[in-house]
Amino acid sequence: MRYMLLVHHDEEAFMKLSEETRQRMLDESIELTHQLHANGQYLSASPLQPTSTAAIVRVREGKPTVTDGPFVETKEQLAGYFLINAKDLNEAILIANRVPGARIGTVEVRPLRIITGLPNE
């Protein structure tokens, strides 16, 4: 089954970490992707650019609105993701425990819905 591991943390707190610490966390994440790949569990992963580079799109009554974003009342922002294969939720949680971002924030583990009709499905 496919699972999305959504990594959330406080961007400002993350940027206050030393460059060495941030690089070490990135290196650990890359190593984790290689381990997952070797086990046939890796599908995709990437950190995200800061929220200051994002845009929010809403369509209401057929009218699109685009704003800088995201503007949400939360201390943690979506920082990146891992898309993995795992036999069940427990295995996905064990993998989430290994995500470096879990040490400074949270990792949300969500099973993907399988639907037909998508490209490459």
Side-chain angles (χ1 to χ4, degrees), residues 7-72:
V7 182
H8 300 264
H9 64 67
D10 181 328
E11 276 183 6
E12 288 183 30
F14 180 72
M15 292 311 295
K16 290 178 183 176
L17 297 173
S18 70
E19 176 63 32
E20 179 182 309
T21 298
R22 292 194 313 265
Q23 185 61 50
R24 188 170 51 248
M25 291 178 71
L26 178 60
D27 293 344
E28 288 177 44
S29 292
I30 291 169
E31 177 60 29
L32 176 57
T33 64
H34 286 279
Q35 292 168 4
L36 294 170
H37 180 73
N39 293 335
Q41 296 174 295
Y42 175 78
L43 296 172
S44 180
S46 183
L48 298 175
Q49 293 288 338
T51 56
S52 61
T53 66
I56 299 295
V57 177
R58 291 183 177 88
V59 178
R60 301 294 184 269
E61 298 178 14
K63 297 178 184 176
T65 304
V66 180
T67 57
D68 293 340
F71 180 77
V72 291

